[in-house]
Amino acid sequence: MTTTPHPAAPTWVPGAAGSGFDVDHLPFGVFARSGEHPRVAVRIGDQVLDLSIVAAADMVDTHALFDQPTLNPFMAAGPTVWASTRAWITGLLTDRTERDLVEPALSHVDSVRMLMPFTVGDYVDFYASEHHASNVGRMFRPDSEPLLPNWKNLPVGYHGRSGTVVVSGTDVVRPCGQRVSTGSTDAAAPRPTYGPSARLDIEAELGFVVGVPSAMGERVSTADFARHTFGVVGLNDWSARDIQAWEYVPLGPFLGKSFATSISAWVTPLAALDAAWTDLPGQDDPEVLDYLRVDGPAGLDIDVEVVLEGEVIARPPYRTMYWSPAQMLAHTTVNGASVRTGDLWGSGTVSGPDHDQRGSLLELSWGGKEPFTLAGRERTFLEDGDEVTLRYSAPGAGGGRITLGEVTGRILPAR
């Protein structure tokens, strides 16, 4: 799954060398300027490189893939095209003789509008953190084992709503729905009320994006993960805990999740994470079934920061996740279900063993019973006007760290 990272020559782009967006990263996105059509770009430093312009000028065979309003055609082209494109872009940005060709296609990131990077096919969200699942189990089933019997045998997941996956920076309207008062004493026949969620939450996750599709009836093995997976995005799975708690038995999440999922505008290609692969925490009790076995490092050493109203409130480590992305994809297709270009799957909440590594407010406030302090005030769940930002970083091939695309959203009042 991994290859030995080889640092590229220094880039000539001012300010880019040594940044989180150096040539060892090169994430892809879709941008537009005022009055212009959307097209594909790559980020270098604080600059956005319009690939449609340089590919046409350089007479690259695949130039038509970049004059598109979505990454889907490029993602569908497969690993050979991904690798050759990455090598070509790296050459443009490190060879000073290419500067005259490239500079006219550069724009400062603040001067353009970043759009949804790809058209989402299906969206699946997993529950891959043992620490998160155990915390939730202890909160809601205090007299039982924290993990249900199936949890260490398969990556638990549910099918989400692709039509409400939005790009970072999109405001999120507080959802309404049925919920039961947490103070209700009528356990035999609780009566719901309708209204705005009072327990609105975030879930700090990673998202993985399918590039090459599979056929119906075809299984994608863990060994084929890199052949089908284009890259990684930051992901915030907004959650209405009161709506979710009332509706999720017996079929799982529905309206408590489907109102919004935010992803980063930049997609980090899998090749940029060569230096980030690490061993999983351990899957020997019980041993996983054969179709879920992985060879070599299959986890990712990615650090996450949860920022609420400008203050870091948690630092969840992705390297502690029990299930790997390759196992999630293999399990998704083991029954013969196909995947399509643009399919997205979320890791589930990233949480570590320590209190300050919890990736949701549900855990940080222990179900609202143990408020945390923010700007001198006690807080539990999200309030109207709150802005949440998720930040991500990982080891880069150049020896430093790359900055994955951040995810930001602000809560608007219910309508």
Side-chain angles (χ1 to χ4, degrees), residues 224-308:
D224 282 337
F225 166 76
R227 186 167 71 86
H228 289 272
T229 306
F230 174 72
V232 176
V233 291
L235 188 149
N236 186 348
D237 180 30
W238 305 93
S239 302
R241 300 300 185 188
D242 41 3
I243 297 173
Q244 179 184 358
W246 173 237
E247 73 178 3
Y248 84 103
V249 177
L251 290 181
F254 186 40
L255 301 183
K257 297 279 193 174
S258 62
F259 59 96
T261 301
S262 299
I263 65 170
S264 57
W266 296 104
V267 183
T268 295
L270 220 55
L273 296 173
D274 275 353
W277 293 104
T278 190
D279 291 331
L280 293 172
Q283 297 180 336
D284 51 5
D285 185 21
E287 291 187 356
V288 298
L289 297 178
D290 286 347
Y291 79 92
L292 290 170
R293 293 187 185 279
V294 292
D295 293 324
L300 284 166
D301 183 11
I302 294 176
D303 291 337
V304 187
E305 282 189 339
V306 180
V307 182
L308 176 58

Side-chain angles (χ1 to χ4, degrees), residues 78-409:
T80 300
V81 171
W82 306 340
S84 63
T85 300
R86 184 173 174 81
W88 166 66
I89 296 170
T90 301
L92 292 178
L93 297 172
T94 56
D95 185 346
R96 292 183 177 276
T97 66
E98 303 282 7
R99 189 164 182 166
D100 289 344
L101 171 71
V102 174
E103 274 194 320
L106 290 173
S107 301
H108 194 278
V109 68
D110 292 338
S111 71
V112 302
R113 182 165 59 99
M114 298 306 300
L115 306 173
M116 189 70 184
F118 57 93
T119 301
V120 180
D122 285 303
Y123 167 50
V124 174
D125 196 30
F126 284 93
Y127 193 43
S129 166
E130 181 177 2
H131 299 291
H132 173 67
S134 296
N135 286 337
V136 172
R138 291 187 187 101
M139 275 186 269
F140 294 106
R141 299 184 303 276
D143 299 323
S144 305
E145 286 295 317
L147 298 178
L148 294 175
N150 64 350
W151 197 91
K152 285 195 172 182
N153 288 282
L154 56 84
V156 173
Y158 71 93
H159 199 284
R161 189 171 185 85
S162 61
T164 50
V165 178
V166 296
V167 71
S168 174
T170 303
D171 291 336
V172 175
V173 175
R174 182 177 296 273
C176 293
Q178 291 191 24
R179 63 273 199 279
V180 173
S181 170
T182 55
S184 174
T185 58
D186 189 3
R191 291 293 300 164
T193 58
Y194 171 83
S197 171
R199 295 165 68 88
L200 188 56
D201 199 357
I202 59 102
E203 289 190 345
E205 305 190 18
L206 276 185
F208 301 87
V209 188
V210 171
V212 176
S214 66
M216 189 172 177
E218 170 190 335
R219 300 185 187 95
V220 177
S221 70
T222 57
D224 282 337
F225 166 76
R227 186 167 71 86
H228 289 272
T229 306
F230 174 72
V232 176
V233 291
L235 188 149
N236 186 348
D237 180 30
W238 305 93
S239 302
R241 300 300 185 188
D242 41 3
I243 297 173
Q244 179 184 358
W246 173 237
E247 73 178 3
Y248 84 103
V249 177
L251 290 181
F254 186 40
L255 301 183
K257 297 279 193 174
S258 62
F259 59 96
T261 301
S262 299
I263 65 170
S264 57
W266 296 104
V267 183
T268 295
L270 220 55
L273 296 173
D274 275 353
W277 293 104
T278 190
D279 291 331
L280 293 172
Q283 297 180 336
D284 51 5
D285 185 21
E287 291 187 356
V288 298
L289 297 178
D290 286 347
Y291 79 92
L292 290 170
R293 293 187 185 279
V294 292
D295 293 324
L300 284 166
D301 183 11
I302 294 176
D303 291 337
V304 187
E305 282 189 339
V306 180
V307 182
L308 176 58
E309 287 294 282
E311 184 174 326
V312 177
I313 59 171
R315 290 184 169 88
Y318 193 85
R319 62 185 172 276
T320 63
M321 299 294 274
Y322 188 87
W323 294 106
S324 73
Q327 291 169 318
M328 295 180 223
L329 181 59
H331 188 65
T332 298
T333 63
V334 72
N335 66 345
S338 60
V339 291
R340 298 180 290 173
T341 301
D343 278 4
L344 171 70
W345 77 94
S347 63
T349 306
V350 183
S351 289
D354 300 331
H355 184 278
D356 64 355
Q357 295 177 331
R358 298 172 180 176
S360 68
L361 303 186
L362 177 72
E363 295 168 272
L364 286 169
S365 70
W366 206 249
K369 297 176 182 178
E370 300 176 6
F372 58 92
T373 301
L374 180 72
R377 292 178 53 222
E378 287 193 338
R379 296 291 304 272
T380 52
F381 295 96
L382 293 174
E383 300 176 356
D384 291 344
D386 278 348
E387 183 172 84
V388 178
T389 300
L390 304 181
R391 299 173 181 154
Y392 304 81
S393 67
R401 296 189 69 80
I402 63 172
T403 303
L404 283 68
E406 70 178 28
V407 185
T408 298

